[in-house]
Amino acid sequence: MSLVNGYVKYKGFKEEEEGAFTMSRSRKNDTKKYVYACAVFASLNSVLLGYDVGVMSGAILFIQKDLMITEFQEELLVGCLSIIALVGSLTGGRTSDAIGRKWTIALAAVVFQTGAAIMALAPSFEVLMIGRLLAGVGIGFGVMIAPVYIAEISPAMARGTLTSFPEIFINLGILLGYISNYLFSGLSEHINWRIMLGVGIIPSIFIGFALFFIPESPRWLIMQKREKEARAVLLRINETESEAMERLLEIQEAANQTKGHEEGAVWKELFNPSPSLRRMLITGCGIQCFQQITGIDATVYYSPTIFRDAGIQTDQEILAATVAVGFTKTMFILVAIFLIDRVGRKPLLYVSTIGMTACLALLGIALTHQHGSGVVAPDVGVGLAILAVCGNVAFFSVGVGPICWVLTSEIFPLRLRAQASAVGAVGNRLSSGLVAMSFLTVSHKITVAGTFFIFSFLSLLSVYFVYRFVPETKGKSLEQIEMLFQSEDDWRKGRDLQLSDVQRLVQDD
């Protein structure tokens, strides 16, 4: 009888244990799905940015013919968006600290969509520019706030993947813009570019739904002394209560260090940084600038110009080639998302910058031969140019594209994170605007091929920058990453990843 009772107790214990395990696994899955969904919704503004970049590359062909704009006006129209985005980026940090990360995402969508609607209905170049300027402000908000929000709600082991989501959606938007160009190019020149630009309003519907779903950042809630709400969010985005409480204590400790830091004091600290903050700014702002001065926006915005220079004749064929570029860019960002939290940030940055250097040089060689000695057959030259452009965007997407935003969102301390990320975004948009607004002018002076040889050299410099100034942050909490920059020795240890690690990555792949 005692044996029977013992067996019954043992069986009951096992069933209880298995039930607890099942509930734990179910909670883990639910939490993971919820955090991923929040990251997706927070990244929707990036679709707007990507779509605008992609669609303008083709729409500009028809805007030129319809509104009879000059080459200077074309450069101004394309490049001003990035420059005016400085306004959104600079004010985005303060805005997000005032109204919260969530509602700053909403504000970015509203401002951008207003600009997009004005552009679609513009009767003249001047009105088109007004819409473009408003869209730029919205983009400035969006590119700054999405990575910050996602970094602040993500667990350490998945933060790299989740913080890369905005870059995925930028690439998806670019692809959709290219497809829109191709689909509507057959309409009349007075109508087609307006439809191309107007379609970009559609994602705002989903952003509206997102506001009812995503929570506020728990770190922002702690800074506003709303600890009960922060605790509820942390319980929702962490797998266990103990893990949520551990993160709550970490955030509270970091937030306590921000007491007495007024807005003016924060900016004063950024412009007169301590040695540790200086190291953070070098890493964060440097990687942001290198992302753009290596010419990715010139490749995307002016891909029709590049392909025409390579020998492709008709608008339809040119726009079809840009779709291939957009598809490549989107596919390889998915590779980055798969690898970023598995192999780390730095190996991917090495592969990315070295690959871009080679592809940019190859593009310069291909375009040179198209207008030079004729050693390479025209069809071969066209094929090499398309291969080089697709290779460049592929290497960009697998490394420096997403990791730039990941690093900027995770290396700065809580009290400075929003404003410092805004400074990094300013450097990114300023570099983008300067490249976009000067590409045609420089290309006329030294040829398109010569311009890409310059981009290749700058990309080579970015390889050294990654080695010298970028530490590895994989698997560390935001508070642990902050400690990497506290001394020169810690910074050096964090960046000591040898190129042999990259070779192992390539072999594993």
Side-chain angles (χ1 to χ4, degrees):
M1 188 70 178
S2 60
L3 286 174
V4 173
N5 290 335
Y7 173 75
V8 170
K9 289 180 181 179
Y10 171 77
K11 186 176 180 181
F13 173 76
K14 290 294 291 182
E15 289 175 348
E16 183 178 336
E17 187 179 56
E18 289 173 359
F21 175 76
T22 301
M23 288 179 64
S24 175
R25 186 169 59 181
S26 176
R27 176 188 169 93
K28 182 177 180 180
N29 290 336
D30 289 345
T31 298
K32 185 176 181 180
K33 290 177 183 177
Y34 181 71
V35 173
Y36 270 72
C38 290
V40 167
F41 283 128
S43 303
L44 287 176
N45 268 327
S46 301
V47 175
L48 306 178
L49 167 59
Y51 184 83
D52 185 88
V53 170
V55 80
M56 187 56 72
S57 68
I60 195 69
L61 299 175
F62 307 105
I63 293 172
Q64 284 175 320
K65 298 172 184 178
D66 185 31
L67 300 183
M68 304 296 290
I69 65 174
T70 65
E71 187 175 277
F72 172 74
Q73 288 175 320
E74 177 185 350
E75 282 186 318
L76 185 63
L77 182 64
V78 170
C80 75
L81 182 136
S82 293
I83 298 295
I84 201 65
L86 298 177
V87 176
S89 293
L90 280 172
T91 58
R94 183 171 185 175
T95 302
S96 68
D97 280 347
I99 67 174
R101 308 330 191 200
K102 172 179 175 178
W103 293 106
T104 304
I105 291 172
L107 179 61
V110 170
V111 175
F112 179 90
Q113 294 305 329
T114 302
I118 292 174
M119 286 193 291
L121 300 173
S124 65
F125 174 76
E126 291 74 17
V127 177
L128 187 62
M129 280 296 298
I130 293 172
R132 191 75 170 157
L133 295 178
L134 279 173
V137 173
I139 283 174
F141 278 126
V143 298
M144 173 262 152
I145 193 57
V148 171
Y149 173 83
I150 296 171
E152 292 185 347
I153 68 165
S154 304
M157 296 307 295
R159 190 177 58 251
T161 297
L162 294 172
T163 312
S164 301
F165 274 26
E167 188 67 22
I168 294 180
F169 283 81
I170 288 175
N171 283 275
L172 177 60
I174 290 173
L175 176 59
L176 293 175
Y178 284 154
I179 292 172
S180 176
N181 290 338
Y182 183 76
L183 291 177
F184 298 118
S185 61
L187 301 177
S188 73
E189 292 170 358
H190 181 67
I191 297 295
N192 56 9
W193 64 269
R194 299 178 187 278
I195 297 176
M196 293 172 186
L197 297 178
V199 168
I201 297 173
I202 294 175
S204 62
I205 299 172
F206 297 100
I207 295 174
F209 283 126
L211 297 177
F212 294 99
F213 179 83
I214 63 174
E216 183 52 84
S217 160
R219 286 174 169 82
W220 182 80
L221 291 171
I222 290 292
M223 291 176 67
Q224 302 301 310
K225 303 186 185 304
R226 294 158 60 176
E227 294 187 7
K228 185 176 180 180
E229 294 173 64
R231 185 177 183 275
V233 174
L234 287 169
L235 287 171
R236 190 72 180 87
I237 64 176
N238 286 277
E239 295 173 4
T240 65
E241 185 173 351
S242 60
E243 184 180 336
M245 293 303 100
E246 181 180 347
R247 288 186 67 186
L248 179 63
L249 291 174
E250 286 182 353
I251 296 169
Q252 286 174 330
E253 183 177 351
N256 287 335
Q257 298 174 10
T258 71
K259 289 181 179 178
H261 284 78
E262 301 296 333
E263 179 72 20
V266 168
W267 285 109
K268 183 178 179 180
E269 185 174 357
L270 283 174
F271 289 108
N272 185 26
S274 64
S276 61
L277 180 56
R278 185 179 300 112
R279 287 187 279 270
M280 294 175 187
L281 289 170
I282 289 171
T283 298
C285 296
I287 198 69
Q288 288 276 10
C289 291
F290 270 113
Q291 190 207 51
Q292 291 298 328
I293 63 174
T294 49
I296 188 63
D297 273 6
T299 305
V300 174
Y301 274 127
Y302 296 108
S303 52
T305 301
I306 296 167
F307 291 138
R308 182 176 285 123
D309 198 65
I312 301 177
Q313 300 298 323
T314 69
D315 288 345
Q316 282 287 104
E317 290 175 337
I318 288 172
L319 295 178
T322 64
V323 172
V325 174
F327 182 79
T328 302
K329 203 170 187 299
T330 303
M331 289 301 100
F332 275 86
I333 190 67
L334 299 178
V335 175
I337 300 312
F338 178 76
L339 294 176
I340 192 169
D341 281 319
R342 290 173 171 80
V343 302
R345 284 63 159 151
K346 203 156 184 176
L348 291 179
L349 283 174
Y350 276 135
V351 170
S352 176
T353 51
I354 293 171
M356 287 172 62
T357 301
C359 289
L360 289 165
L362 176 61
L363 180 57
I365 292 169
L367 295 175
T368 298
H369 280 293
Q370 286 297 86
H371 299 279
S373 61
V375 174
V376 178
D379 288 346
V380 175
V382 170
L384 282 177
I386 294 175
L387 176 64
V389 171
C390 289
N392 182 50
V393 299
F395 280 113
F396 176 87
S397 294
V398 86
V400 71
I403 293 173
C404 159
W405 299 106
V406 173
L407 284 173
T408 305
S409 66
E410 65 186 6
I411 63 175
F412 295 108
L414 177 60
R415 69 181 184 279
L416 304 172
R417 187 169 297 140
Q419 290 86 347
S421 295
V423 171
V426 165
N428 182 279
R429 291 296 89 199
L430 181 61
S431 301
S432 169
L434 291 175
V435 169
M437 294 179 73
S438 62
F439 177 78
L440 294 177
T441 301
V442 174
S443 295
H444 283 313
K445 296 290 185 182
I446 63 172
T447 74
V448 177
T451 305
F452 279 98
F453 282 127
I454 292 176
F455 288 146
S456 180
F457 174 72
L458 292 172
S459 183
L460 183 61
L461 292 181
S462 73
V463 179
Y464 175 75
F465 178 85
V466 169
Y467 168 75
R468 178 66 180 83
F469 297 109
V470 179
E472 180 57 72
T473 59
K474 181 188 75 168
K476 296 178 175 65
S477 72
L478 297 179
E479 289 69 30
Q480 290 170 336
I481 292 171
E482 184 179 340
M483 297 304 297
L484 283 177
F485 293 86
Q486 295 307 306
S487 72
E488 185 73 28
D489 289 340
D490 290 336
W491 195 30
R492 187 176 295 111
K493 290 175 184 177
R495 67 173 172 80
D496 277 344
L497 175 78
Q498 303 303 322
L499 288 176
S500 58
D501 294 318
V502 182
Q503 295 172 352
R504 286 198 296 272
L505 166 63
V506 173
Q507 291 169 358
D508 289 344
D509 288 344

